[in-house]
Structures are given as C-alpha cells and as structure tokens.
C-alpha cells in the first residue's frame, strides 16, 4: 500500500499525505468527556460529531456520547443560532446532563457564530435549567490540531469555573494539587491519581476520563458513567496549592488559566512517561508537601531493575517516534534513558518549541536526530527509508510504515484503532514504564527470534 | 412503549399497528445524539473504493483523517485509495481562499502517482468560502489529461443520503467517456457494492459461473477505465439501494440500461438475485447453470446454518444499520437462523423501504428511522434482545448491556455476502450470542435505564 512512497524527500508546498494529526474538535470532545455528567456538543454539521464519536469509539471501545447542532444549508447561510438554541433545549430536556461542553467546527467558526452570545440567549430564554452549565471552546479545524482542541477545552473548564478562594488547606490537611494530566488514557489518569494519593495528597484531575471511557460492563447503558471531574471540584480549583500541567502542549494553557483566575501557581512538567520524567513529577509532588512512600520507591526500584536486566537489548538500537508532541518528547527521553538512539522524532503539531525541546532532551545526541514538527506519516516513511530504524513507536497509523519497511512496531499514543487493552494498561509512572518498556523489548526480541538462523535461535536471551 | 423524543414520534412505529407511513429522510433533531453522518461522508464512502483514482479531500485535516482507510474496501490491484490526501486548509486559506493550494496539490499528486482519475471532495468550509473547485478541476484536467471530478459534498447539505447523490453525480461524469467495444450482451454493472472483506469477488465468481460478464464495479475494487465504459452494460444490479439507486435511474434514462434491485445477503435474497439476472437475459442455459450453482452452494452452507440454528432458535435480535435494504435482508437471514427480529432500523431508509419492513416483520417489531443511543439501548433492554446487528458506534452500547453484537458495517472483516456469506454470518452471530463471556456479564440490569 505504501509502494508509492518515494525515497527522495522534496519540499511540499500544499499537501498533507497520511496525516500525523487531526482536527481540534475531537480533542475538545475527548477532554469534555472527562467532566462528570457532561455531554459534549458539536456545533456544526452532523458528520463532525459522528466522525469524532466513531474515532473515539474505535480507540476506547466504549460508548462515546455527544450531541450535534445538525447544521443544514440554512444554518451555513443564516448562522447557527437557531440550531444551538434548539440543540441545547433538546439536550437538557432529553439527556439531562449537568454540563454541556460546546465545541465549534470549521463551519460554525467561519460563519462567525458567537457562542457566548447564543448561550446568553439560551440563559435568557430559560433553556438552561438552574444549576446546569454550558461551557464552550472555540475549536476551528483549520487552526492547530486535536491537541490544541484538547487544550482549549481544558482552558474552558478553568475559565468557566475556577475562582479565587482564600481558604487554603490548613497545615493539618492533606496537601492539595490540581493536575492537568494531558491527553493520556483513562488508565493513565487513574495511575496519576493513584501515585499522587499514595504520597498522601489530594488531587483534582481535570479532565479525568477514568471511569468514563474505561467503564466496566454492568448490564446497563449509562449515558454518564461514574467518572469525570465534578463541577464542584472545578469550582474549588482555587483551593489547591498548585496546578501541575503535565505536558506543554495539552495542559499548560489550562494551568495558566487557573493561575490567572484563581491565583494558584502553575508548574509545567513533562508527561511522566519513563523514569526521568516520573522522577521529576514525584519530586514536584514532594516539594508540594507529598511524602514518597516506600511502596512507590519500590516501584521505582523494580523499574530500575527492569532496565538493568534489559539494557543490553536496548543499547544503541535505533528508534523512530511519532505522535502528539507531549508524548513524543517524553518517549524520546525514555528511549534515550534506555540507551536507544532516537533517529527520527516527528509530530503533526506546528511549533519550533517542539524542535527546541526535543533537542534539549537529546542533549549531545541531538545532532544525529531528524526532528520534524508539522510532519506527516508520508514524511516519516521517507525519513525511515533514508535512514532505517530498529523500532517504530507511534499510533496505529504507523502500522503501514512498519509493514512496508518490515519494522518492529509498538503502538503508543492516540489513536490506537486496531488493538484492545491500551486504555486499561498504563504508560505513565514507574509501573507504566515497565509495561511500555516490556512491550518494546518484546517487539525487539520477537524480531530477533524471527530473524535468527536455526543455529542461532536460542532458548535464553 | 418507550417514550421517544416528541419530535421523533413519527419516525418510530411497530409492524402490524396499521398507522401512517414512517417519517424519514429528515435532518436529525438539533441536540440529539444522532448516529448519522454528513453529506461528505456519504460521497466519500461511495467513491473511495475506486482504487486507481486519486481521492483528494479539499478541506481541513479532520475530514481526511476520519475517512482514511476505515472501510476495508479491498482492491485486487492498485491501492491508491487507501492513502489519505488532504489540502489541510489553514486559517489563511479560509480568509484568502484555497484554490491555489488545491491546484498545487492536484498537480503534485497526479505527477507522482499517475492516477487514472482524480476526485476532489468539497467539504463544509470550502462550500462556505466559495472556492471554485469546478474551475480548478477543469484546469488541472486539461493540463494533465485525466478526468478531475469535483464532488459537491459539503457536509451541511444534509445527511449521508445527499452524499450518495453527490457521488452518483460524480460517477455519471465518468460513465460514458470510454469505449463500449467488445462488451457482450450478457453483461452487467455491479452498483452499490463496496467490496468489504472481498465480497464483490464472491459475486463476480457466481456471475462468471453463470456466464455473465461484469463490465464495471461501482465501486468496490473499481477501476476508472471500467467505470468509463459502464454505459455499455446490458443490466445494472443495484445492491446498496440507498447509495446507487439514483445512479441506476439516471443510467436508465440516459443510456436505456434497465436495473434490478438485488441483495446478496441471506440465501433467499442471494438466490433470488441470481435467478433474477438469469431471467432477465432469458437464456435457458444460463438459468440451468444458475440452478446448479444455487443448489451446489446452498448444500454447502445449509449444514453450517443448521448447526448454528440449534443454539440460536428463538433468540431475539435488533438491527440498526445504514441502509434499509440491508436491514430487510438481515431480517430474512436472522429468520433462517431461527431468530426473531424485535427491532429494525436504519439511518437512511425511505418510506418504501419502511413499508416493506412493516409487511415483512412479525407484528410488534419496532421499526425506527435515524435512532439514537438512548432510544436504542432502551429498546434493546425492553425487548430483551440477545443480539444487536449494527455499526461501530453501536457495538459498545450493546456490550455494556450484555447483548451480543455483529458488525455489519465498516468493522466487518468476513464477507457476509453470497451463500458463503450466510455461513459466515451464522458463525459470527453464533460466536457472539453463544460466547462464554455472557455467563459472567450482567444483562439488562435496569429495565428502564434511560429516560428519553
């Protein structure tokens, strides 16, 4: 299928081939699902909502609920106000959410619908019941990527609910932090909470899709599963001592918003994937009053033990990493710490900051690495053709390249459309690093076994 | 009966209740959790299986990503259709227009891939900013010498159905441009089959055994050159009625080609389709060959069906699929497995389809147009269904309720068409309904889980 990819890389002026990113609204939808009893709402044509739900469903294998304004030709000419008013009315009378999180699309952005004005109208018309909320994020599909959309909806959570609160926790109370976990799996959000609480702290995660998109089989369909950050928690963001943003791209803006509105200082960290980034995350929690328990120290010890046991297999192995910027940066550091050589590092997001950050992470190894922002999978394939690697890390779309180039491949990031289990297993924290590391090791050693000539096919590796 | 959204009352009925025609083909209510997609989606799924054509989505990145290789429309040769090409419109193009970008993209891609034709899909935003895609296409076509065909598929035009019409219009621009020399008199076009899991290959093999020549596949495993000479065929076979009936009607008007609506799902409909073709050509030898073929194939499938039926007899099924014609076949196929259809619905059925369903189904069967998750889950629980046949968004819904599932849409990996397909369907339904997991999974824990 990728027979058409030429090896020679030429500058393309106008075209994306096999994109490495998608559009803002789906990110906003994923973030909104991390609010308790929230119905995401797509203000645009039916298709956008349908596609986003399908795509998220394929990744999480769980029901993904969201409503749509169902734009028609009329709406595209005369504006979408009637659709949104009717839509909010339908939503509140039918689906009874506590919050509706509206995201725009390229269409509603271009025709210039003013969402706060329309929501104000809905308020005046009594469409929004008492105690219920409508929040919104502008998510034009022609700017940014799905990560931007995720970030924008996280910002909306802070913008609509965070407020200054004088009464900080007493010295005897548990230390309290807000955490913006970034675009990670529900299981990762659960793990971040587990770690934080293991340090004797209280954490408000926003968004928090644990319990929403990995809900148990119960025998009935829940429009709103039990997980998600509550409105009350969001209204109390100002009570925390700090807001930790995990990831510059997906989380930083929301932490800034909390700081501006509720005067809670922010701290921007990397996603805690791998040993170094997890160390820094824990160090930060400790600084905010957490106490690292023996159990977590042991988890770290087990991870170090894993790396000691396996470092010879990782040593100088070439790896290509593609995906969302926060993940790619953290994965690059993890691979470096395993002794691997990240040869190609690519994201679909735009921004020189990505190149700077990856360069910094790689340190003296940066010179030999192709770092691409605003790239696509076609470019990644070309890069790999020019300089082959031993392992590819990326989302499901990497499978085409892995097949074409006969590469060991580990699925990590979003979306993963062709495997199950990723939303239950973790990649963050020390435990997640062992899970991810062993997947990578399996891929490398399976290849070694597969390629070994009979005399060299050995029982013990 | 469950309360449904008041504005949707006309879209829900029960077989045998003698009420008025079901209301359909209307836009989903704003604010509903609709299972439907848009015009762009409709045209994309119809055209994209043409494997030697370039499919360029003119719009922001998302429209291209969400339709990238999601359908499993297999090709026996080129696989250009499986790559994702987008003009990736950015803010400045929304302001200043994207025509230049479209032209550059087309030129670059045509130069690299030498496709037989190019389709340019117009998305919501392009419709609003008013790029003259027609003019750009004409220009590029003149420069490159291949057909470059705009597909007017702005998402806001409506539902998938409008997209089917846009796709058919695009196909009509290709049909009639090739030579019909050498096409025999027993020849057909296959319309509305997308070769999911290689289904069209099964049908082609039957036709070959009958002595029928296939001129063009529209569009599964389709080729531009074949499609351009499709007007030389003697008969059109319309399988997915929702998407290509319009095309068949247009071809009848323009080229005088008659058409038959067929379904390749289930033994009755599959056999009926083949007999219909043989009768059309009024060739006694072909009819005899068809009889032999049907007898031979059915004899191979029946033991599988019988074996599965033992466990499935009396179980209850719900169907919610894209096209109503498929739903009709499914009701029959499930009946063959001894199962009763308690609920049947579609996203794009028309009044005629629903009338047929009401006559076909047992009294009391719920019939719905354009349903939503709350409604579906309530019906599933109330009707105590053992199986749900649907698409990607319905699967987890069924599973959460403890209901078995069979995908009859994008996620399908086994062919369900043809006699062999009935055996596959029987096995798949059996596997899910009789899965050992249901002994651990609670079912229908709340009789009325969602208020609608």
């Amino acid at each position: 299928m990728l027979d058409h990819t030429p090896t020679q890389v030429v500058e393309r002026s106008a075209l994306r081939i096999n994109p490495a990113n998608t559009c803002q609204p789906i990110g906003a939808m994923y973030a909104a699902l991390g609010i308790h009893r929230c119905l995401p709402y797509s203000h645009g044509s039916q298709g956008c909502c349908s596609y986003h739900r399908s795509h998220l469903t394929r990744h999480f294998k769980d029901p993904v609920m969201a409503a749509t304004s169902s734009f028609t030709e009329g709406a595209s000419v005369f504006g979408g106000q009637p659709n949104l008013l009717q839509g909010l009315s339908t939503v509140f009378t039918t689906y009874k959410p506590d919050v509706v999180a509206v995201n725009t699309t390229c269409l509603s952005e271009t025709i210039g619908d003013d969402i706060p004005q329309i929501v104000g109208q809905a308020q005046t018309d009594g469409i929004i019941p008492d105690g219920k909320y409508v929040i919104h994020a502008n998510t034009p599909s022609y700017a940014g990527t799905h990560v931007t959309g995720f970030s924008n909806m996280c910002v909306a959570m802070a913008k609509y609910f965070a407020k200054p609160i004088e009464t900080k926790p007493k010295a005897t109370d548990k230390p309290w932090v807000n955490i913006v976990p970034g675009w990670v799996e529900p299981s990762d959000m659960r793990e971040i909470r587990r770690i934080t609480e293991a340090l004797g702290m209280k954490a408000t995660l926003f968004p928090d899709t644990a319990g929403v998109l990995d809900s148990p089989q119960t025998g009935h369909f829940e429009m709103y599963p039990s997980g998600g950050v509550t409105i009350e928690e969001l209204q109390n963001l100002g009570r925390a001592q700090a807001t930790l943003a995990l990831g510059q791209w997906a989380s930083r803006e929301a932490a800034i918003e909390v700081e501006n509105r509720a005067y809670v200082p922010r701290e921007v960290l990397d996603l805690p994937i791998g040993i170094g980034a997890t160390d820094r995350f824990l160090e930060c929690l400790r600084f905010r009053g957490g106490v690292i328990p023996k159990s977590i120290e042991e988890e770290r010890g087990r991870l170090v033990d894993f790396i000691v046991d396996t470092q010879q297999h990782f040593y100088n192995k070439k790896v290509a990493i593609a995906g969302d910027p926060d993940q790619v940066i953290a994965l690059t550091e993890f691979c470096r710490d395993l002794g691997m050589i990240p040869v190609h590092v690519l994201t679909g997001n735009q921004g020189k900051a990505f190149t700077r950050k990856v360069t910094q992470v790689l340190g003296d190894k940066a010179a030999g690495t192709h770092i691409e922002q605003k790239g696509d999978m076609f470019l990644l394939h070309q890069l790999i053709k020019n300089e082959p690697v031993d392992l590819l890390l990326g989302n499901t779309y990497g499978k085409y390249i892995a097949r074409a180039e006969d590469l060991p491949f580990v699925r990590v990031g979003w979306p993963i459309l062709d495997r199950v289990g990723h939303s239950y297993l973790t990649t963050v924290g020390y435990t997640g690093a062992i899970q991810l590391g062993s997947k990578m090791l399996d891929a490398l050693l399976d290849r070694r076994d597969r390629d070994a000539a009979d005399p060299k096919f050995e029982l013990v590796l | 009966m469950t309360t449904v959204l008041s504005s949707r009352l006309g879209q829900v009925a029960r077989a045998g209740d003698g009420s008025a025609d079901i209301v359909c083909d209307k836009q989903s209510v704003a604010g509903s959790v609709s299972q439907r997609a848009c015009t762009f989606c409709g045209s994309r799924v119809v055209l994209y299986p043409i494997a030697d054509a370039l499919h360029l989505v003119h719009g922001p990145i998302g429209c291209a990503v969400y339709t990238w290789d999601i359908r499993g429309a297999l090709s026996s040769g080129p696989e250009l259709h499986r790559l994702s090409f987008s003009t990736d419109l950015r803010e400045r193009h929304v302001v200043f227009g994207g025509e230049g970008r479209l032209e550059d993209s087309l030129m670059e891609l045509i130069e690299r891939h030498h496709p037989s034709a190019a389709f340019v899909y117009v998305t919501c935003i392009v419709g609003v900013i008013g790029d003259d895609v027609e003019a750009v296409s004409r220009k590029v076509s003149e420069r490159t010498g291949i057909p470059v065909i705009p597909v007017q598929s702005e998402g806001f035009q409506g539902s998938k159905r409008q997209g089917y019409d846009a796709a058919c219009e695009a196909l009509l621009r290709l049909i009639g441009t090739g030579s019909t020399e050498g096409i025999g008199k027993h020849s057909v076009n296959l319309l509305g089959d997308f070769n999911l899991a290689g289904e069209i290959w099964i049908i082609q093999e039957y036709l070959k055994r009958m002595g029928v020549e296939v001129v063009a596949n529209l569009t599964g495993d389709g080729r531009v050159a074949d499609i351009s000479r499709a007007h030389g065929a003697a008969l059109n076979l319309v399988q997915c009625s929702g998407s290509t009936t319009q095309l068949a009607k247009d071809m009848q008007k323009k080229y005088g080609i008659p058409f038959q609506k067929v379904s390749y799902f289930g033994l009755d409909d599959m056999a009926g389709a083949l007999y219909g073709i043989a009768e059309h050509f009024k060739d006694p030898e072909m009819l005899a060959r068809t009889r032999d073929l049907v007898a031979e194939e059915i004899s191979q499938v029946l033991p599988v069906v019988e074996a599965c039926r033992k466990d499935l007899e009396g179980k209850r099924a719900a169907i919610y699929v894209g096209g109503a014609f498929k739903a009709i076949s499914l009701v029959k196929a499930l009946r063959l497995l001894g199962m009763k259809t308690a609920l049947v619905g579609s996203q794009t059925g028309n009044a005629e389809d629903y009338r047929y369903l009401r006559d076909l189904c047992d009294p009391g069967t719920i019939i719905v147009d354009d349903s939503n998750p709350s409604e579906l889950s309530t019906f599933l629980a109330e009707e105590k269904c053992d199986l749900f046949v649907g698409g990607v968004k319905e699967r987890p819904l069924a599973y959460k309720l403890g209901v078995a599932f069979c995908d009859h849409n994008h996620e399908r990996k086994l062919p369900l068409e043809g006699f062999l397909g009935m055996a596959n369907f029987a096995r798949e339904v059996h596997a899910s309904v009789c899965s050992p997991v249901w002994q651990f999974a609670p079912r229908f824990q709340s009789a009325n889980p969602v208020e609608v």
Side-chain angles (χ1 to χ4, degrees):
Chain A
M1 175 186 146
L2 294 187
D3 306 342
H4 309 283
T5 313
T7 307
Q8 193 196 352
V9 180
V10 289
E11 186 77 20
R12 274 177 281 147
S13 59
L15 180 64
R16 282 289 177 126
I17 308 174
N18 299 346
N21 60 278
T22 183
C23 63
Q24 285 209 50
I26 197 169
M29 189 181 283
Y30 180 50
L33 287 163
I35 304 174
H36 184 57
R37 292 190 61 80
C38 173
L39 187 65
Y41 185 105
S42 169
H43 186 49
S45 304
Q46 283 177 39
C48 306
C49 188
S50 176
Y51 278 138
H52 303 150
R53 289 180 58 214
S54 291
H55 220 57
L56 290 168
T57 302
R58 288 188 172 111
H59 177 95
F60 292 106
K61 320 286 180 202
D62 248 26
V64 174
M65 293 300 119
T68 164
S69 270
S70 293
F71 267 29
T72 56
E73 201 130 17
S76 74
V77 178
F78 303 114
Q81 171 151 339
N83 292 60
L84 186 49
L85 292 176
Q86 162 73 51
L88 289 174
S89 168
T90 306
V91 162
F92 280 116
T93 52
T94 310
Y95 303 113
K96 301 180 175 63
D98 287 352
V99 199
V100 176
V102 180
N103 70 259
T104 56
T105 62
C106 56
L107 182 54
S108 55
E109 280 289 321
T110 308
I111 62 178
D113 280 350
D114 181 348
I115 306 297
Q117 178 266 317
I118 302 174
V119 172
Q121 185 66 48
Q123 203 77 262
T124 313
D125 295 353
I127 289 171
I128 305 169
D130 285 346
K132 308 280 184 168
Y133 300 89
V134 177
I135 68 173
H136 95 285
N138 291 95
T139 50
S141 318
Y142 46 73
T145 69
H146 59 284
V147 179
T148 326
F150 180 92
S151 168
N152 284 341
M153 190 52 86
C154 294
V155 170
M157 293 175 207
K159 191 163 98 186
Y160 277 90
F161 298 111
K163 53 180 189 271
I165 296 176
E166 293 299 321
T167 48
K168 298 288 175 195
K170 295 192 292 285
T172 50
D173 289 346
K174 285 180 177 178
W176 187 339
V177 287
N178 305 319
I179 300 176
V180 196
W183 189 317
V184 289
E185 297 284 349
S187 50
D188 292 323
M189 299 194 186
R190 184 175 283 115
E191 177 69 356
I192 288 165
R193 178 183 297 285
R194 182 190 72 88
I195 292 170
T196 311
E197 290 178 354
L199 267 67
M201 303 174 80
K202 184 174 159 56
T204 302
L205 255 71
F206 76 100
D208 185 359
T209 57
V212 181
L213 287 166
D214 60 353
S215 64
Q217 200 278 343
T218 54
H220 60 265
F221 162 65
E222 297 263 16
M223 189 84 188
Y224 309 105
S226 64
V229 64
T230 63
I231 301 305
E232 199 192 341
E233 285 175 302
L234 288 172
Q235 287 167 335
N236 279 305
L237 286 173
R239 215 178 282 276
Q241 284 141 307
T243 303
L244 312 183
L246 306 184
Q248 279 189 49
W249 275 261
S251 305
R252 183 183 57 194
E253 296 302 318
I256 292 175
E257 193 72 22
V258 177
E259 182 170 284
N260 291 345
R261 289 186 179 267
Y263 315 121
V264 174
R266 70 173 188 268
E267 192 153 347
V268 183
L269 300 163
D270 293 321
L271 271 182
I273 294 174
I275 184 163
T278 305
D279 282 350
R280 295 196 294 278
F281 174 55
L282 283 170
E283 194 49 41
C284 173
L285 290 175
R286 205 164 65 94
F287 178 73
R288 298 289 170 188
V291 178
I292 298 174
K294 192 154 184 291
S295 61
I296 299 280
E297 270 178 31
E298 283 173 353
E299 281 175 24
R300 185 180 191 280
R302 277 191 284 272
L303 170 59
V304 175
D305 200 49
F306 168 84
I307 300 174
V308 169
D309 290 342
T310 58
Q311 31 92 16
Q312 74 274 24
H313 299 299
F314 288 113
Y315 173 71
N316 268 359
K317 287 284 188 299
K318 291 180 175 176
V319 59
I321 305 164
D324 297 347
D326 294 328
Q327 267 83 358
V328 168
I329 287 163
L331 289 168
T332 303
E333 183 182 338
F334 185 40
C335 287
R336 183 206 65 187
D337 289 346
L338 287 171
M340 305 178 82
I341 306 171
V343 181
H344 313 292
V345 177
L346 179 142
T347 186
N349 272 63
Q350 189 171 3
K352 293 201 176 75
F354 175 78
T355 312
R356 276 200 302 275
K357 178 79 188 184
V358 175
T359 310
Q360 180 203 333
V361 165
L362 288 171
D364 59 355
K365 290 199 169 76
T369 305
H370 298 110
I371 307 167
E372 299 287 343
Q373 45 101 5
K374 214 181 152 195
D376 55 26
M377 300 304 271
F378 179 80
L379 173 63
L380 179 67
H381 188 199
Q382 291 185 306
L383 294 174
I384 291 175
K385 273 173 169 283
N386 281 294
E387 196 172 348
V389 292
D390 303 301
L391 180 69
L392 173 61
L393 297 181
N395 65 27
T396 285
Y397 295 109
K399 77 189 275 180
Y400 301 117
I401 299 173
R403 181 182 170 90
E405 302 306 317
D406 195 17
L407 285 178
F409 172 44
V410 172
R411 287 165 182 77
V412 52
W414 183 90
I416 297 174
L417 309 172
D418 59 341
R419 293 290 188 273
V420 185
H422 47 82
S423 56
Y424 304 124
L425 303 174
T426 57
T427 48
V428 301
Y430 300 126
T431 315
I434 294 180
Q435 295 190 18
L436 178 62
S438 59
K439 271 193 194 175
M440 291 160 60
L441 183 70
D442 284 351
L444 289 168
L445 294 187
D446 280 348
R447 161 53 54 89
R448 183 164 155 182
D449 276 340
R450 195 199 81 180
D451 291 350
D454 221 23
K456 291 199 163 181
F457 180 72
E458 295 190 63
L459 178 70
V460 181
L461 285 175
Chain B
M1 186 172 166
T2 313
T3 348
V4 293
L5 271 175
S6 55
S7 47
R8 283 193 29 76
L9 277 175
Q11 288 170 274
V12 183
R14 277 189 192 253
D17 67 355
S19 54
D21 267 358
I22 204 162
V23 176
C24 55
D25 205 16
K26 67 177 213 175
Q27 201 77 358
S28 301
V29 185
S32 64
V33 180
S34 170
Q35 303 294 81
R36 273 178 171 174
C38 63
T39 306
F40 164 72
C41 172
S43 65
R44 186 92 160 103
V45 294
V46 169
L47 292 174
Y48 128 97
I50 303 172
D52 59 345
L54 176 75
H55 300 271
L56 174 61
V57 180
H58 187 33
I61 201 76
C63 303
V65 171
Y66 306 125
T67 51
W68 176 10
D69 206 28
I70 52 164
R71 211 179 187 195
L74 306 189
S75 164
S76 55
E79 297 204 307
L80 192 55
H81 67 304
R82 300 187 64 189
L83 300 182
S84 177
F85 302 112
S86 167
T87 51
D88 188 16
L89 291 186
R90 311 304 290 175
E91 206 150 10
R92 62 180 183 279
H93 309 113
V94 175
V95 178
F96 300 111
E99 289 176 17
R101 195 167 172 85
L102 173 61
E103 187 181 334
D104 290 352
S105 298
L106 279 170
M107 289 307 296
E108 184 175 334
L109 285 169
I110 292 169
E111 208 166 289
R112 182 181 311 128
H113 298 295
H114 310 291
S116 307
F119 292 98
V120 180
Y121 299 82
V122 177
T123 57
C124 281
I125 187 90
V126 173
V128 170
I129 63 176
D131 278 0
D132 191 345
V133 177
E134 188 74 50
V136 175
S137 300
R138 203 179 316 120
K139 191 171 160 192
V140 174
S141 185
E142 278 161 16
R143 279 170 66 189
T144 57
I146 65 160
V148 179
I149 301 170
V151 187
Q152 295 301 336
S153 53
E154 297 92 337
F156 57 75
Q157 278 186 23
S159 190
K160 256 172 137 171
R161 176 173 278 280
Q162 285 71 27
Y164 298 154
D165 294 344
C168 291
E169 269 174 47
L171 286 169
L172 272 175
R173 291 171 71 151
L174 206 52
I175 294 165
T177 58
S179 160
T180 58
E181 210 173 308
I183 296 176
K185 60 179 177 150
H186 293 164
S187 56
V188 297
N189 295 314
L190 301 179
L191 271 61
D193 193 315
F194 306 110
N195 201 32
L196 308 191
E199 287 177 329
I200 219 167
W201 299 330
I202 297 171
I203 306 305
Q204 280 175 330
E205 200 243 345
Y206 294 160
L207 293 174
K208 197 172 159 194
R209 281 160 67 186
M210 286 166 62
V212 176
E213 175 189 356
V214 176
V215 179
N217 300 337
L218 296 142
T219 53
D221 199 13
R223 299 291 181 275
V224 171
D226 296 340
I227 294 169
S228 70
R229 63 202 288 268
H231 57 298
L235 175 68
N236 275 333
L237 300 174
V238 182
Q239 135 83 8
C240 175
S241 61
S243 58
T244 45
T245 304
Q246 192 52 45
L247 179 65
K249 284 182 181 165
D250 290 341
M251 285 177 78
Q252 186 169 36
K253 210 164 139 196
K254 204 167 171 188
Y255 302 107
I257 305 173
F259 71 89
Q260 286 184 357
K261 283 194 180 187
V262 292
S263 168
Y264 308 134
F265 298 113
L267 301 184
D268 288 353
D269 285 352
M270 184 67 245
L274 298 184
Y275 285 133
I277 297 162
E279 277 161 21
H280 175 84
F281 289 121
K282 298 188 175 42
D283 177 343
E285 284 177 30
M286 184 187 286
L287 197 57
R289 284 196 295 271
T290 309
R291 259 189 221 113
D292 291 347
L293 185 159
V294 171
E296 188 191 326
E297 292 291 325
I298 288 187
S299 70
Q300 284 178 26
V301 171
L302 272 184
V304 180
V305 172
E306 287 303 321
C308 294
R309 186 183 171 121
K310 281 195 192 98
D311 295 322
L312 296 172
E313 191 84 56
K315 302 270 186 196
R316 296 165 66 80
I319 302 166
Y320 187 73
V321 289
F325 221 63
K326 185 155 72 182
I328 291 167
S329 288
L330 279 165
V331 173
K332 297 182 195 169
L334 288 164
R335 212 170 254 170
L336 194 64
L337 293 172
M339 296 178 73
K340 180 183 165 4
T341 300
L343 162 78
V344 56
S346 87
Q347 293 176 34
T348 56
N350 60 31
E352 193 188 330
D353 298 328
Y354 289 122
R355 266 198 299 273
Y356 189 94
L357 274 172
R358 280 167 97 152
D359 291 341
L360 173 69
C361 294
D362 297 331
T365 300
I366 302 168
I367 299 170
V368 291
D369 176 62
D370 180 27
S371 198
N372 56 60
S374 324
E375 216 176 80
L376 288 172
S377 62
T378 314
F379 286 144
L380 280 177
E382 276 184 1
E383 297 293 323
K384 297 264 182 285
C385 293
D386 302 285
L387 172 76
F388 192 3
V389 185
V392 53
K393 294 192 290 291
E394 287 86 29
R395 182 196 297 267
L397 204 67
Y399 285 167
K400 283 287 184 282
L401 289 158
V403 176
F405 187 80
C406 169
D407 190 288
H408 218 297
N409 202 5
H410 299 269
E411 259 73 343
R412 176 145 51 98
K413 305 302 164 207
L414 269 178
L416 300 182
E417 283 181 9
F419 300 103
L420 161 80
M422 182 64 213
N424 287 337
F425 181 65
R427 282 193 205 99
E428 200 168 314
V429 168
H430 185 267
S432 194
V433 171
C434 303
S435 164
V437 74
W438 303 124
Q439 66 186 306
F440 307 107
R443 310 181 89 174
F444 313 128
Q445 285 305 291
S446 162
N448 190 15
V450 185
E451 284 178 45
V452 191

